[in-house]
């Protein structure tokens, strides 16, 4: 009969991210051999991860950035987000994406890591060990001048909100402030001109129908509709948003004063626990 202590179970759990009972069963099957127990978890984890992959969400996890690249590596729980192997793999992936200047999930998944495995293969292998669904949820690379902002929700968690901004101009602090604004206020576009025409028209229809339902005077409708559409732009367009640092000014005015032009951005967010 295998002999191992609770500290051995904890060591295996910490090393792999496996559940306590799974770690205990693996050590029992491996007669207490730590390396063999890891192999047991890998073998059993392949089937478990495949089964969970179809029915579970990898909405948790972390974001990581390096030299113009930003990725979101998804997991099911924040317990795995704290896992050293998971964080190390995220670091390898974003480094490879940055080195290869690779943009998009499919392209990054196909990148070969120093281990010789592709990103997709490495993620699948770690999922087998951990026993959770893992996936590369988002990936982007910008080849211009960039700034990044990574936000931690808690001190014991890795960053779970990441913003990558490509910009022109010499004031990096202004660009970083814009990235922080994006992290906090979740705009979808840089300018109102980027909002699809059909989306704007739909907002106009909603604003008109709402105003009529409220019994607003017919003559006042155009002004009311325009005001509500402008309110919509303040929600979805970065440059129209009131600044989180100065509500009396818009982000657009602050960037203009700093001589900075935001070209594009991405915002990735891993769900909390």
């Amino acid at each position: 009969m295998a002999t191992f202590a609770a500290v051995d179970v904890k060591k295996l759990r910490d090393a792999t991210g496996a559940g306590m009972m799974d770690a205990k069963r693996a050590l029992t099957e491996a007669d207490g051999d730590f390396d063999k127990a890891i192999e047991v978890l890998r073998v059993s984890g392949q089937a478990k991860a495949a089964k969970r992959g179809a029915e579970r969400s990898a909405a948790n996890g972390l974001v990581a950035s390096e030299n113009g690249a930003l990725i979101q590596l998804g997991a099911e729980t924040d317990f795995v987000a704290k896992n050293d192997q998971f964080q190390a793999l995220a670091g390898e992936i974003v480094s490879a994406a940055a080195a290869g200047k690779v943009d998009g999930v499919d392209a990054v998944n196909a990148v070969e890591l120093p281990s010789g495995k592709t990103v997709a293969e490495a993620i699948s292998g770690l999922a087998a060990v951990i026993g959770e669904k893992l996936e590369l949820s988002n990936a982007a690379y910008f080849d211009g001048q960039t700034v990044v902002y990574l936000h931690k929700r808690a001190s014991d968690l890795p960053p779970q909100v990441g913003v990558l901004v490509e910009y022109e101009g010499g004031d990096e602090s202004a660009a970083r402030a814009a990235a922080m604004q994006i992290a906090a206020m979740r705009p979808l576009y840089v300018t109102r001109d980027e909002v699809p025409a059909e989306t704007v028209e739909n907002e106009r229809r909603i604003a008109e129908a709402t105003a009529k339902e409220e019994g607003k005077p017919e003559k006042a409708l155009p002004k009311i509709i325009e005001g509500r559409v402008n309110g919509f732009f303040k929600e979805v367009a970065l440059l129209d948003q009131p600044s989180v640092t100065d509500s009396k000014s818009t982000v657009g005015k602050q960037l203009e004063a700093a001589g900075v032009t935001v070209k594009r951005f991405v915002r990735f967010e891993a769900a909390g626990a």
Side-chain angles (χ1 to χ4, degrees):
M1 183 175 179
T3 56
F4 53 85
V7 67
D8 298 315
V9 177
K10 184 179 185 302
K11 180 182 176 183
L12 182 59
R13 185 183 182 190
D14 290 343
T16 64
M20 182 178 68
M21 294 308 298
D22 286 337
K24 186 174 181 179
R25 279 192 291 269
L27 280 168
T28 300
E29 185 174 335
D31 291 327
D33 187 298
F34 188 81
D35 291 332
K36 286 184 178 179
I38 291 179
E39 291 183 15
V40 169
L41 286 171
R42 287 184 65 92
V43 172
S44 63
Q46 290 286 357
K48 184 186 294 184
K51 181 178 179 181
R52 286 185 173 182
E55 60 191 32
R56 303 292 288 273
S57 170
N60 213 297
L62 59 78
V63 293
S65 179
E66 183 176 317
N67 297 331
L70 178 69
I71 68 152
Q72 178 185 344
L73 187 58
E76 293 180 41
T77 65
D78 62 4
F79 179 78
V80 170
K82 300 174 187 178
N83 180 274
D84 290 342
Q85 286 181 290
F86 183 78
Q87 293 183 20
L89 178 57
E92 286 185 40
I93 293 170
V94 76
S95 292
K101 300 182 178 181
V102 184
D103 182 51
V105 170
D106 290 342
V108 174
N109 267 327
V111 170
E112 187 173 299
L113 297 174
S115 64
K117 296 179 180 179
T118 65
V119 168
E121 289 168 344
I123 292 174
S124 178
L126 185 58
V129 172
I130 290 177
E132 278 197 10
K133 179 180 180 180
L134 308 180
E135 66 181 12
L136 183 64
S137 305
N138 286 297
Y141 175 80
F142 291 167
D143 56 4
Q145 183 177 227
T146 61
V147 67
V148 67
Y149 173 66
L150 303 179
H151 176 71
K152 287 186 175 185
R153 291 196 178 94
S155 60
D156 63 335
L157 287 171
Q160 293 191 304
V161 178
V163 176
L164 178 67
V165 174
E166 182 178 340
Y167 70 100
E168 292 178 348
D171 193 334
E172 183 179 337
S173 63
R176 188 175 302 278
M180 295 174 69
Q181 171 89 21
I182 294 164
M185 301 309 294
R186 298 177 171 85
L188 301 177
Y189 310 93
V190 176
T191 71
R192 62 170 61 192
D193 292 337
E194 295 176 3
V195 183
E198 58 269 25
T199 301
V200 177
E201 282 307 307
N202 188 56
E203 287 300 317
R204 289 188 184 279
R205 285 194 295 271
I206 293 171
E208 182 177 4
T210 302
K212 287 181 177 179
E213 185 69 24
E214 292 169 348
K216 302 297 184 182
E218 191 72 25
K219 290 183 179 180
L221 289 181
K223 187 174 182 179
I224 292 172
I225 293 168
E226 199 61 30
R228 290 180 177 178
V229 170
N230 282 331
F232 168 72
F233 284 134
K234 289 179 181 180
E235 292 180 4
V236 302
L238 172 66
L239 300 190
D240 281 87
Q241 288 188 337
S243 169
V244 293
T245 59
D246 180 5
S247 61
K248 295 181 180 180
S249 180
T250 65
V251 175
K253 288 179 180 178
Q254 289 186 331
L255 289 173
E256 184 179 4
V260 170
T261 300
V262 171
K263 307 296 289 183
R264 52 179 173 164
F265 68 84
V266 291
R267 180 186 186 278
F268 299 155
E269 179 175 3

